[in-house]
Amino acid sequence: MGRRLATAVHVQHPTSREWIVLEPGDEPDEELAAEIINPDAWEDDEPASDTEEPEPEEPTQFGFTAPPQPEPGPGADPTPPAPSRRKKTTDAAE
Protein backbone atom coordinates (compact mmCIF):
# COMPACT_ATOMS: atom_id res chain seq x y z
CA MET A 1 0.00 0.00 0.00
CA GLY A 2 1.39 3.41 -1.01
CA ARG A 3 1.33 6.65 0.88
CA ARG A 4 -1.85 8.75 0.88
CA LEU A 5 -2.07 12.43 0.08
CA ALA A 6 -3.39 14.82 2.72
CA THR A 7 -3.91 17.72 0.29
CA ALA A 8 -4.58 18.22 -3.40
CA VAL A 9 -1.42 18.57 -5.48
CA HIS A 10 -0.63 19.47 -9.08
CA VAL A 11 2.18 17.36 -10.45
CA GLN A 12 3.74 16.94 -13.89
CA HIS A 13 3.90 13.33 -15.09
CA PRO A 14 7.59 12.38 -15.47
CA THR A 15 7.26 10.72 -18.91
CA SER A 16 4.31 12.38 -20.66
CA ARG A 17 4.98 15.84 -19.08
CA GLU A 18 1.22 16.49 -18.74
CA TRP A 19 -0.12 18.13 -15.58
CA ILE A 20 -2.16 15.92 -13.26
CA VAL A 21 -4.27 16.97 -10.26
CA LEU A 22 -4.24 14.49 -7.40
CA GLU A 23 -6.91 14.75 -4.72
CA PRO A 24 -6.61 14.22 -0.93
CA GLY A 25 -6.74 10.51 -0.12
CA ASP A 26 -5.21 9.45 -3.47
CA GLU A 27 -2.35 6.94 -3.43
CA PRO A 28 -0.16 7.83 -6.43
CA ASP A 29 2.22 5.31 -7.97
CA GLU A 30 5.94 5.52 -7.25
CA GLU A 31 6.73 7.63 -10.37
CA LEU A 32 4.28 10.36 -9.37
CA ALA A 33 5.09 10.09 -5.67
CA ALA A 34 8.74 10.84 -6.44
CA GLU A 35 7.65 14.14 -8.06
CA ILE A 36 5.83 15.31 -4.91
CA ILE A 37 8.59 16.86 -2.80
CA ASN A 38 6.50 18.76 -0.23
CA PRO A 39 6.36 16.63 2.97
CA ASP A 40 3.19 18.45 4.13
CA ALA A 41 1.29 17.02 1.14
CA TRP A 42 1.37 13.53 2.67
CA GLU A 43 -0.74 12.07 5.47
CA ASP A 44 1.06 11.02 8.63
CA ASP A 45 2.36 7.48 8.54
CA GLU A 46 1.24 6.79 12.10
CA PRO A 47 -2.50 6.46 12.64
CA ALA A 48 -3.66 9.00 15.20
CA SER A 49 -6.56 6.86 16.48
CA ASP A 50 -4.26 4.26 18.09
CA THR A 51 -2.47 6.73 20.32
CA GLU A 52 -4.31 7.93 23.38
CA GLU A 53 -3.28 11.27 24.78
CA PRO A 54 -4.01 11.96 28.44
CA GLU A 55 -6.54 14.68 28.98
CA PRO A 56 -5.37 17.78 30.83
CA GLU A 57 -6.38 17.84 34.47
CA GLU A 58 -7.72 21.39 34.33
CA PRO A 59 -9.59 22.83 31.36
CA THR A 60 -7.78 25.51 29.41
CA GLN A 61 -9.16 28.99 29.96
CA PHE A 62 -9.85 31.07 26.89
CA GLY A 63 -10.75 34.72 26.56
CA PHE A 64 -10.24 37.51 29.01
CA THR A 65 -10.50 35.65 32.28
CA ALA A 66 -8.45 36.41 35.34
CA PRO A 67 -6.01 33.75 36.49
CA PRO A 68 -7.18 31.81 39.54
CA GLN A 69 -6.20 33.47 42.81
CA PRO A 70 -4.41 31.36 45.41
CA GLU A 71 -6.44 30.62 48.49
CA PRO A 72 -5.16 32.33 51.64
CA GLY A 73 -3.47 30.02 54.08
CA PRO A 74 -4.52 29.59 57.69
CA GLY A 75 -3.89 32.66 59.80
CA ALA A 76 -3.71 35.02 56.82
CA ASP A 77 -5.48 38.32 57.29
CA PRO A 78 -8.26 38.82 54.76
CA THR A 79 -8.01 41.95 52.67
CA PRO A 80 -10.40 44.60 53.99
CA PRO A 81 -13.07 45.72 51.55
CA ALA A 82 -12.58 49.02 49.78
CA PRO A 83 -14.36 51.93 51.47
CA SER A 84 -17.64 52.93 49.90
CA ARG A 85 -17.91 56.31 48.24
CA ARG A 86 -19.76 59.05 49.99
CA LYS A 87 -22.67 60.59 48.20
CA LYS A 88 -22.59 64.30 47.62
CA THR A 89 -25.30 66.10 49.51
CA THR A 90 -27.36 68.63 47.66
CA ASP A 91 -28.16 71.95 49.18
CA ALA A 92 -31.90 72.17 48.54
CA ALA A 93 -32.45 74.64 51.39
CA GLU A 94 -30.73 77.57 49.67
Side-chain angles (χ1 to χ4, degrees):
M1 183 167 108
R3 294 171 56 188
R4 300 185 103 184
L5 289 170
T7 61
V9 294
H10 296 187
V11 65
Q12 194 173 25
H13 194 278
T15 55
S16 67
R17 308 312 281 171
E18 67 179 289
W19 285 98
I20 300 171
V21 177
L22 300 171
E23 299 292 326
D26 286 350
E27 296 179 11
D29 59 356
E30 293 301 318
E31 283 186 329
L32 288 176
E35 298 292 319
I36 303 169
I37 58 174
N38 185 349
D40 293 334
W42 299 102
E43 287 184 354
D44 292 334
D45 291 336
E46 301 172 5
S49 61
D50 291 344
T51 59
E52 293 183 22
E53 295 182 16
E55 294 186 19
E57 294 179 13
E58 293 185 23
T60 306
Q61 295 181 359
F62 295 99
F64 296 101
T65 58
Q69 298 295 324
E71 295 183 19
D77 293 332
T79 307
S84 59
R85 299 179 96 186
R86 293 187 294 174
K87 295 182 181 180
K88 186 175 182 179
T89 58
T90 58
D91 294 329
E94 289 181 22

